[in-house]
Amino acid sequence: MGRRRGIMSESFKYELAKDLGFYETVKNEGWGAIRARDAGNMTKRAIELAQQHLAERSSER
């Protein structure tokens, strides 16, 4: 089975990691070292940002 391409860019993931406070763990040990809670929080924050972006775009029309 082929590997799925990620939806979030690497730079966006690093930006979220910095905002959420676990960038050093990712930098030193890689993405596999983060806690499940951190991964969930990162996903939750990405969804929040996407919703804000869509709301801003729809209000511009």
Side-chain angles (χ1 to χ4, degrees), residues 10 13-18 21-34 38 42:
E10 285 296 309
K13 289 193 290 189
Y14 283 111
E15 181 182 326
L16 289 172
K18 287 176 186 175
F22 56 89
Y23 173 74
E24 288 299 317
T25 300
V26 172
K27 186 174 89 172
N28 295 330
E29 301 175 45
W31 289 106
I34 66 171
D38 291 333
M42 187 170 78

Side-chain angles (χ1 to χ4, degrees), residues 2-18:
R3 191 171 182 114
R4 282 188 357 178
R5 197 175 122 239
I7 294 173
M8 289 192 275
S9 69
E10 285 296 309
S11 61
F12 184 57
K13 289 193 290 189
Y14 283 111
E15 181 182 326
L16 289 172
K18 287 176 186 175

